[in-house]
Amino acid sequence: MIYKVISKSEFRKFIDALVRQNTSFGPRQVDRNTADEPIYQFMPVSSVDDIEFDYTLTTSSAKHFFLPFRDQLSRFSFQNSDFEQHVAYEADPVVLIGLRPCDISALNILDDVLLNGRYPSPYYLAKRKNTFVIGMDHLPLPDCFCKSLAHHTVSTGFNLFCSDIGEKYYLSINSSKAFTYLEEFQTEEPSCEDNCLMTRRRKLISESFRTEVDVTSLPSILDIEFESPVWDKWGAKCLNCGTCAMVCPTCYCYSVDEHFDIDLKGASRNRQLYSCNLVDFAVVAGGHNFRPKNGDRLKYRYYHQHRGFAENANQQICVGCNRCGRACLTGINPKAVINDLRMEKESCMTCVSPSPDRT
Amino acid sequence: MHDLRFTIPRQDLNREAFASSVPDFNLKSDLMKTDMGYKCRITNIVSLTEQEKLFRLRIVDPEERRIFRFKPGQFIMLELPGFGDVPISISSASSNHEFIELCIRKAGHVTSALFRIDTGMHVAIRGPFGSSFPMDEMAGHHALLIAGGLGIAPLRAPLFWINEHRDRFRDVHLLYGAKEPSQLLFSYQFDEWKTISHIRLHTIVEHADAEWKGSTGMITELFRDITIDAKNTYAIVCGPPVMFKFVCSCLDRLGIPMNRMFVSLERRMHCGMGKCCRCMVGSTFTCIDGPVFDYWSVMNLKEAI
Amino acid sequence: MNQQGMHFEKLKIASFDFTCCEGCQLQLANNESSLPAFFELLDVHAFREISSEKHDDYDIALVEGSISRSDEIDRLLAIRKQAKILVAFGTCACFGGVNSLKNRIPIEESVVEVYGELQVETLPVRKISDIVQVDISIPGCPVAKEEVERIVVSLVTGSKVNLPKYPVCVECKQQINTCLFDLGEICLGSITRAGCSAVCTSGKTPCLGCRGPAEDINFPAFMEMVRERGLSESDLREKLDFHNAFETYRNDET
Ligand SMILES: Cc1cc2nc3c(=O)[nH]c(=O)nc-3n(C[C@H](O)[C@H](O)[C@H](O)COP(=O)(O)OP(=O)(O)OC[C@H]3O[C@@H](n4cnc5c(N)ncnc54)[C@H](O)[C@@H]3O)c2cc1C
Ligand code: SF4
Ligand code: SF4
Ligand code: SF4
Ligand code: SF4
Ligand code: SF4
Ligand code: FES
């Protein structure tokens, strides 16, 4: 990693040059809510003036640039009794500007699951390789809890990361590409004062968190509280709408469907991001549903997010952005659910018996 | 204002070396074509019952046929282009490199479509995926194989393995239960198993017909007919979810250690590679850590049975 | 047509309209690019919008519109007798649709309102499945042509006909829309069956539930949520009644 500082006006020139030359997305205000707060999303940008550098957080995450909501996995073309399968890992270069530390941490977690597992996904890799990620730090929203999961800072997974130190941005340059582009612009070595400002900025961010979620030993609490009434309580509120998983930066599960073309000469195999909250997530042939109740399904979302699964065992995949909590119509959010579980656990601490020791 | 210095160059994965190579699903570290199947020709179809057919598939490409190796208990994703893909256990011998056999029940969309195709047609398979039965570890012991209904399909591969290495096993029991006599699959192989392989076959049906001379009742009743040396026995249980609970607790009572009892679980699957999360069971995925689990793991997995 | 050794037959199809705007049929005729390929799959027997041929030899009957006159009942029963597969086509056929608004005022009044002094026989509006068995429902006001194409292809190839089981929110969120509740509106997206690509909410119009309830919806939690937000109860009821699609849940409620 190489550190530089750049004046804000020079930074804008740099971003403008990038944006004009490449397909780029950055935070833009799309609406204002009833409380007159701005609503931001990652949207196409064509000049630096389109970008709201001082935005808070987007409602939807940036995962769909890497895992499209809908995506073609392969094509088949038929000739009588035979067919040909075509698979392509297509991705065009994209510049993403203004990702928050939690967004980038989420990408690192997706890398773990989708690239470092037993079967790395070329679809994801193609997109990841062709995306130029520029991160920016920010002051947390009152309900952000990424600090509880140590995701309020990130040190890998981006090309360039910018910290706002007042007049300048403090740049962490993490790729040769970013370094070469920046050579065309006026940057400086960080001075002693810049480093000091940077430390102060970090401290300010860290101290600005208003929400804390105690996630220590959550995996075992989730196991022990598997039959907890907490799930029925929150399950009763859940609409099974999948909104939480769609906006979440780390929910990656999907459904596959296959269709003949209308001329019947070919077929395509597509995937669609899905959610374990949706009613038919675990339905098998014959109609048996392994998770028939709202509470069962909601529990599994928490189980997967906070228990840590197969490819990333015992490592939580939630980064604490609280996007799910903000988007949920009925107010189901990780802080409330996890606190409830903890209370459950603490109120029945005495009756936990050791598991049978038999092998 | 076109300044090409700032254009991000395209990195084309399609042109990398792996894109032209054959996908090898057994090689679990390299990047590979995760969605590219091996094209197979259906060389034979046998109707076992009205609901079940045995398909024989031969991988078309010799190179692909060479690298396709599986272990008893593993499954493949069978793709019928235009309809979809489904997880199916491999029912043939793992030593057979010429063809694989799949015993398929007509259950829904893809499987019904499979029932409409003829020999000579083509399908694709991805895999093999999942864990397998520990055949080498089982050798030297007694084996107790228990199948309910279609559970005989995943059991056929270990059966073949035992037959091929019969001298390495002590007593081998196969307990096999079905709803009706007509639904006992592979009955044409029973004699071969009994006489050539010296497997003690015990069958039972829930509802007998006029010709049925064997036992009737639930599969757990067969335990009364057998005596086993529990401390030296490995058990494999395959069948519908309801069966596991009863059979496993019977085995438990017999005193078979939990880490020597194996079950094969079924969940909804869309990828086979730990990516779609549809097969979540407890805190893992059936497709990569399963489908074969020992009973101790199953006990520790929430919602497993 | 022969693919994978399977023989695919054209569908002998006929379309019938009852009380409705015929907008759904028009949707089909609108499919410029795929229209030729689409009609390759069909053997059209009575399809007012597209061909004028009329035969009584069909397997699949697309029934559009709701039932509001007694002669319509007889016609529908005759169609049911002939058809191997009866498809309720469009929201009116599936749920009663906008026409059912009429049911909320006494029948005599509605006759006077619509036809003045003319004496017209009219019955309360009923959906197709109130009268005959429906094999496939394709909801939508109007129907989504991609979905119709997919279902036709499924019927030709003998695939299972599936509608999404999840609600519109999934598709809405996939298009990165701002949730209309954040803008203070009532939207039925979280209880309505997806499949329309969330056209309404993408255009900032709340979902009115034209595709009917999604699978296994949590209706009480939805009602509770709207109340907790302090949104207009009458607006909510109006939306729920708009297409008559939540009839069963509404009846359970009271
Ligand atoms: C490890 C494993 C081994 C299996 N081995 C066999 C076998 O040897 N023989 C056999 O006949 N069946 C086997 N099955 C069950 C078989 O996969 C299902 O019957 C089949 O997926 C049904 O698909 P469908 O399209 O016909 O049904 P639909 O109900 O139309 O299914 C739609 C989709 O749901 C998924 N799905 C539905 N049911 C299941 C299920 N039980 N398991 C996994 N995914 C499901 C599939 O992705 C399928 O494409 C096995 C399942 C698993 C998990
Ligand atoms: S938790 Fe909230 S957002 Fe998620 S499915 Fe349930 S109701 Fe929808
Ligand atoms: S938590 Fe649920 S919705 Fe999210 S990735 Fe896991 S299975 Fe999918
Ligand atoms: S589960 Fe919620 S808080 Fe955690 S990463 Fe996903 S959206 Fe953010
Ligand atoms: S606007 Fe409607 S459909 Fe979209 S997310 Fe909100 S409730 Fe769901
Ligand atoms: S958004 Fe709602 S009202 Fe609009 S088409 Fe879809 S289901 Fe119908
Ligand atoms: S089948 Fe996709 S995760 Fe197991």
Side-chain angles (χ1 to χ4, degrees):
Chain A
M1 191 103 69
I2 288 174
Y3 299 99
K4 297 265 184 200
V5 288
I6 189 169
S7 74
K8 285 196 169 167
S9 56
E10 191 71 5
F11 181 74
R12 290 180 74 88
K13 280 191 216 152
F14 161 65
I15 296 290
D16 203 52
L18 264 186
V19 164
R20 287 185 189 278
Q21 254 351 94
N22 301 286
T23 310
S24 311
F25 297 83
R28 298 182 78 162
Q29 185 185 322
V30 290
D31 275 304
R32 295 190 86 83
N33 67 12
T34 41
D36 204 34
E37 295 154 348
I39 296 174
Y40 300 104
Q41 299 285 21
F42 291 113
M43 287 283 150
V45 290
S46 48
S47 92
V48 68
D49 299 322
D50 293 341
I51 306 172
E52 306 253 1
F53 289 106
D54 297 319
Y55 83 112
T56 49
L57 195 66
T58 54
T59 305
S60 202
S61 70
K63 74 166 167 203
H64 63 278
F65 296 107
F66 304 88
L67 285 170
F69 287 117
R70 286 181 165 280
D71 195 11
Q72 187 175 75
L73 294 178
S74 65
R75 288 269 319 147
F76 295 95
S77 49
F78 298 110
Q79 301 100 28
N80 294 320
S81 71
D82 207 349
F83 66 86
E84 222 35 78
Q85 185 178 8
H86 315 272
V87 183
Y89 306 112
E90 303 288 353
D92 291 322
V94 165
V95 177
L96 289 185
I97 300 155
L99 266 59
R100 296 306 187 199
C102 62
D103 292 321
I104 298 171
S105 294
L107 290 179
N108 292 337
I109 288 169
L110 289 180
D111 287 352
D112 248 4
V113 175
L114 300 172
L115 296 180
N116 304 336
R118 267 168 266 191
Y119 301 96
S121 161
Y123 302 95
Y124 177 80
L125 184 70
K127 297 246 180 340
R128 191 75 165 106
K129 271 196 169 179
N130 281 293
T131 309
F132 189 85
V133 174
I134 302 177
M136 300 188 90
D137 68 358
H138 74 138
L139 291 176
L141 289 171
D143 54 356
C144 288
F145 62 96
C146 54
K147 190 184 169 193
S148 306
L149 292 141
H151 287 310
H152 60 307
T153 58
V154 346
S155 49
T156 55
F158 50 82
N159 297 71
L160 178 67
F161 194 88
C162 321
S163 302
D164 187 344
I165 53 167
E167 305 292 297
K168 302 176 204 162
Y169 282 111
Y170 194 102
L171 304 177
S172 312
I173 304 167
N174 199 18
S175 78
S176 60
K177 239 184 270 165
F179 187 80
T180 340
Y181 296 152
L182 278 165
E183 276 183 331
E184 308 290 328
F185 297 86
Q186 200 176 351
T187 58
E188 284 153 33
E189 293 299 317
S191 67
C192 208
E193 193 196 1
D194 293 330
N195 285 335
C196 218
L197 284 169
M198 178 65 185
T199 317
R200 210 179 301 158
R201 169 78 175 167
R202 287 236 167 102
K203 196 150 171 265
L204 174 68
I205 291 175
S206 177
E207 282 167 357
S208 303
F209 282 89
R210 295 284 160 268
T211 302
E212 198 187 328
V213 179
D214 182 2
V215 295
T216 47
S217 64
L218 205 49
S220 78
I221 294 179
L222 281 164
D223 275 350
I224 295 166
E225 291 301 324
F226 202 80
E227 309 293 342
S228 166
V230 166
W231 299 119
D232 294 332
K233 172 185 153 190
W234 290 98
K237 287 166 82 80
C238 179
L239 302 170
N240 308 314
C241 70
T243 291
C244 44
M246 295 303 139
V247 299
C248 174
T250 56
C251 275
Y252 58 90
C253 60
Y254 59 87
S255 201
V256 174
D257 48 69
E258 200 160 318
H259 302 292
F260 278 98
D261 297 346
I262 190 141
D263 60 9
L264 305 181
K265 293 194 177 104
S268 57
R269 197 175 130 76
N270 310 302
R271 84 173 152 190
Q272 178 188 199
L273 294 194
Y274 221 67
S275 163
C276 55
N277 281 105
L278 303 181
V279 285
D280 62 342
F281 189 82
V283 173
V284 294
H288 178 68
N289 192 347
F290 281 95
R291 270 169 238 123
K293 294 196 312 225
N294 289 13
D296 296 343
R297 295 188 288 264
L298 185 69
K299 171 167 67 189
Y300 255 80
R301 184 150 187 285
Y302 280 86
Y303 213 64
H304 193 189
Q305 283 286 343
H306 296 278
R307 169 75 173 72
F309 265 31
E311 302 283 38
N312 53 337
N314 296 324
Q315 192 197 326
Q316 311 199 5
I317 62 172
C318 173
V319 295
C321 64
N322 201 34
R323 281 192 172 95
C324 57
R326 263 172 242 130
C328 179
L329 289 174
T330 58
I332 302 173
N333 65 83
K335 181 183 159 73
V337 174
I338 292 170
N339 283 352
D340 249 15
L341 271 183
R342 251 178 212 288
M343 302 259 280
E344 262 304 299
K345 166 93 185 310
E346 272 149 29
S347 65
C348 72
M349 277 298 230
T350 43
C351 60
V352 179
S353 53
S355 55
D357 183 23
R358 292 200 39 191
T359 12
Chain B
M1 197 183 108
H2 282 292
D3 195 339
L4 293 174
R5 281 173 305 167
F6 303 114
T7 305
I8 294 180
R10 188 166 193 257
Q11 297 191 42
D12 195 348
L13 228 55
N14 295 313
R15 285 167 50 196
E16 286 184 16
F18 89 99
S20 56
S21 63
V22 170
D24 187 345
F25 291 88
N26 284 309
L27 203 77
K28 292 186 180 169
S29 53
D30 278 2
L31 187 65
M32 62 175 172
K33 294 180 273 180
T34 48
D35 218 54
M36 195 69 187
Y38 305 131
K39 194 198 283 180
C40 298
R41 191 182 146 83
I42 298 182
T43 57
N44 192 21
I45 302 176
V46 183
S47 255
L48 298 173
T49 70
E50 258 179 31
Q51 293 302 316
E52 281 104 5
K53 280 187 182 178
L54 187 68
F55 292 79
R56 182 173 290 181
L57 272 56
R58 185 174 158 86
I59 298 177
V60 176
D61 183 86
E63 173 60 12
E64 293 177 354
R65 204 181 314 137
R66 192 185 62 77
I67 61 174
F68 184 85
R69 292 286 180 273
F70 71 95
K71 300 196 192 86
Q74 287 193 298
F75 68 95
I76 48 106
M77 295 297 286
L78 174 64
E79 160 88 43
L80 180 58
F83 291 91
D85 64 351
V86 288
I88 301 290
S89 311
I90 306 173
S91 276
S92 49
S94 48
S95 58
N96 183 341
H97 304 319
E98 290 307 309
F99 59 81
I100 63 167
E101 282 179 334
L102 307 172
C103 171
I104 299 175
R105 171 176 289 173
K106 190 172 169 177
H109 173 57
V110 180
T111 47
S112 304
L114 279 165
F115 269 55
R116 287 160 47 205
I117 62 174
D118 280 325
T119 52
M121 296 304 127
H122 291 87
V123 292
I125 59 171
R126 289 185 293 124
F129 295 124
S131 56
S132 54
F133 299 112
M135 301 313 295
D136 278 310
E137 191 188 316
M138 286 172 72
H141 298 83
H142 306 292
L144 181 54
L145 311 176
I146 303 159
L150 193 60
I152 195 77
L155 261 189
R156 233 174 133 231
L159 259 175
F160 276 116
W161 204 93
I162 290 173
N163 289 352
E164 283 162 18
H165 307 87
R166 186 63 188 88
D167 49 332
R168 292 175 62 190
F169 284 87
R170 290 157 75 181
D171 290 350
V172 180
H173 291 275
L174 171 61
L175 315 189
Y176 181 21
K179 284 234 156 54
E180 292 162 23
S182 64
Q183 288 180 8
L184 285 169
L185 306 172
F186 304 109
S187 46
Y188 57 86
Q189 284 192 311
F190 286 177
D191 283 335
E192 179 193 326
W193 289 343
K194 278 194 269 198
T195 54
I196 306 177
S197 325
H198 303 287
I199 287 173
R200 299 204 201 149
L201 177 68
H202 315 261
T203 49
I204 190 164
V205 295
E206 270 174 54
H207 313 286
D209 59 13
E211 279 141 62
W212 180 249
K213 295 193 190 63
S215 346
T216 49
M218 306 305 283
I219 193 154
T220 40
E221 293 182 27
L222 288 177
F223 284 106
R224 280 184 313 204
D225 306 349
I226 55 166
T227 43
I228 54 160
D229 168 12
K231 288 279 159 287
N232 286 307
T233 301
Y234 272 78
I236 298 181
V237 186
C238 296
V242 278
M243 200 186 96
F244 290 132
K245 228 180 219 137
F246 296 108
V247 171
C248 290
S249 58
C250 270
L251 294 174
D252 207 17
R253 252 177 282 129
L254 285 175
I256 297 183
M258 281 180 165
N259 59 350
R260 290 186 175 181
M261 270 152 66
F262 294 89
V263 301
S264 176
L265 297 187
E266 265 187 34
R267 284 295 181 279
R268 183 167 187 147
M269 292 188 175
H270 279 303
C271 71
M273 299 181 286
K275 302 273 182 286
C276 72
C277 311
R278 301 303 284 266
C279 65
M280 290 200 289
V281 50
S283 56
T284 190
F285 296 132
T286 315
C287 64
I288 47 178
D289 286 342
V292 175
F293 290 100
D294 68 12
Y295 192 55
W296 169 249
S297 313
V298 166
M299 292 253 303
N300 283 289
L301 290 175
K302 306 291 178 190
E303 282 187 353
I305 50 177
Chain C
M1 285 169 285
N2 209 313
Q3 221 60 266
Q4 273 286 292
M6 282 184 240
H7 189 66
F8 300 145
E9 297 268 355
K10 281 190 176 197
L11 301 179
K12 284 193 211 159
I13 198 164
S15 155
F16 305 90
D17 46 283
F18 291 86
T19 309
C20 69
C21 64
E22 296 179 30
C24 288
Q25 272 185 38
L26 265 175
Q27 269 289 311
L28 288 193
N30 270 346
N31 266 357
E32 296 108 20
S33 62
S34 48
L35 203 60
F38 184 66
F39 278 100
E40 269 302 298
L41 304 176
L42 303 178
D43 189 354
V44 180
H45 284 254
F47 217 102
R48 268 227 337 236
E49 295 291 344
I50 295 151
S51 100
S52 48
E53 287 171 62
K54 287 212 177 190
H55 305 281
D56 258 1
D57 173 30
Y58 54 87
D59 293 334
I60 297 182
L62 288 188
V63 178
E64 196 189 353
S66 47
I67 304 300
S68 62
R69 294 196 315 265
S70 60
D71 60 313
E72 291 183 332
I73 296 183
D74 301 335
R75 221 176 116 217
L76 184 57
L77 290 172
I79 295 168
R80 176 71 269 189
K81 230 186 223 153
Q82 163 80 30
K84 291 199 184 104
I85 297 174
L86 190 146
V87 183
F89 194 63
T91 300
C92 300
C94 295
F95 308 108
V98 198
N99 300 327
S100 344
L101 289 178
K102 186 177 94 170
N103 294 0
R104 282 186 289 158
I105 46 173
I107 201 87
E108 300 77 34
E109 273 179 43
S110 78
V111 174
V112 176
E113 185 127 321
V114 181
Y115 300 97
E117 294 306 309
L118 249 155
Q119 276 302 309
V120 188
E121 185 225 13
T122 172
L123 300 170
V125 170
R126 285 195 279 173
K127 54 182 184 287
I128 303 297
S129 63
D130 283 345
I131 295 156
V132 295
Q133 188 206 324
V134 168
D135 303 306
I136 297 172
S137 294
I138 309 183
C141 182
V143 292
K145 52 187 180 180
E146 293 75 18
E147 185 169 71
V148 177
E149 285 181 357
R150 227 186 44 238
I151 289 176
V152 165
V153 169
S154 298
L155 286 171
V156 170
T157 57
S159 309
K160 204 160 70 178
V161 175
N162 267 340
L163 297 179
K165 296 194 169 54
Y166 49 82
V168 176
C169 286
V170 173
E171 292 176 343
C172 184
K173 285 293 167 218
Q174 292 184 342
Q175 311 205 22
I176 329 265
N177 294 335
T178 299
C179 182
L180 292 164
F181 278 102
D182 285 342
L183 306 179
E185 302 217 45
I186 296 175
C187 173
L188 302 190
S190 58
I191 50 171
T192 300
R193 190 182 293 278
C196 59
S197 310
V199 276
C200 301
T201 59
S202 301
K204 285 226 159 50
T205 316
C207 171
L208 292 178
C210 78
R211 293 178 51 83
E215 212 94 336
D216 204 6
I217 59 171
N218 192 345
F219 193 73
F222 174 78
M223 297 299 276
E224 182 64 26
M225 180 268 292
V226 177
R227 265 178 222 130
E228 268 179 18
R229 283 170 184 259
L231 296 165
S232 151
E233 194 97 352
S234 61
D235 182 14
L236 173 62
R237 304 211 169 268
E238 205 165 298
K239 283 183 170 143
L240 285 169
D241 291 337
F242 195 84
H243 289 292
N244 200 37
F246 295 90
E247 202 184 3
T248 40
Y249 295 93
R250 298 278 273 116
N251 293 345
D252 285 354
E253 208 193 2
T254 43

